[in-house]
Amino acid sequence: MKRFFIAALIVLGATLAYSQNNAPSIILNKFIEANNSGTANAFSTFVKETYEPGLYNKIDVQKHIDFYAMIQNDFGKLKPLVYKQVEETPHRLVVLLIKEHESLSNKNIDPTEILMVEIDLNQQNPKYLGRALGLGALACELKKK
């Protein structure tokens, strides 16, 4: 019985550590699901589940839903796999996503057709976003440099 209790604590600890370290990926997957659904309800659910509650209470949710809908209209459905990882820290993830029909092995995709996603977690509660997702075409980011 004592071994079982110790083993259960180890598994619980590992699971909690994994879920904390994996929070940006969980949020990314929720965004991709909402985007691919393309409905206002899906975007509303995404915002409610991923925005830090204090942030959620301050924002105009409809404007955020409209923004995500605009991205969905511009890019369409997204491949659920990351095309390229640009940056990863415990509180930040920056990735490139491509349209659903594109191949991950295609290295010659037009930068206007690649969506850059920036996820910044809330420092005090890293299971939530500290701000809205940063979204835009890779071409815009390349112009900044």
Side-chain angles (χ1 to χ4, degrees), residues 2 61 71 91-92 98 111 142:
K2 190 175 187 178
V61 174
I71 294 297
H91 289 92
R92 182 170 167 78
I98 56 177
L142 295 174

Side-chain angles (χ1 to χ4, degrees), residues 29-47:
N29 289 335
K30 286 183 178 188
F31 165 69
I32 294 170
E33 287 176 22
N35 181 81
N36 288 351
S37 171
T39 67
N41 187 48
F43 293 127
S44 176
T45 300
F46 169 76
V47 170

Side-chain angles (χ1 to χ4, degrees), residues 84-97:
K84 181 179 178 185
Q85 184 172 307
V86 176
E87 179 183 346
E88 182 178 27
T89 68
H91 289 92
R92 182 170 167 78
L93 178 65
V94 180
V95 297
L96 304 179
L97 300 177

Side-chain angles (χ1 to χ4, degrees), residues 35-95:
N35 181 81
N36 288 351
S37 171
T39 67
N41 187 48
F43 293 127
S44 176
T45 300
F46 169 76
V47 170
K48 187 170 185 159
E49 290 180 356
T50 61
Y51 281 35
E52 190 275 324
L55 173 64
Y56 180 80
N57 292 329
K58 292 178 191 175
I59 65 167
D60 180 344
V61 174
Q62 189 58 51
K63 286 184 180 179
H64 288 252
I65 291 169
D66 293 345
F67 173 70
Y68 292 124
M70 179 190 72
I71 294 297
Q72 202 281 334
N73 286 333
D74 289 348
F75 287 91
K77 289 189 176 188
L78 299 169
K79 191 169 284 299
L81 300 171
V82 171
Y83 180 63
K84 181 179 178 185
Q85 184 172 307
V86 176
E87 179 183 346
E88 182 178 27
T89 68
H91 289 92
R92 182 170 167 78
L93 178 65
V94 180
V95 297

Side-chain angles (χ1 to χ4, degrees), residues 98-113:
I98 56 177
K99 295 181 178 187
E100 183 179 56
H101 67 275
E102 290 286 351
S103 170
L104 290 172
S105 61
N106 182 358
K107 300 302 177 197
N108 297 314
I109 300 173
D110 181 345
T112 62
E113 300 290 312

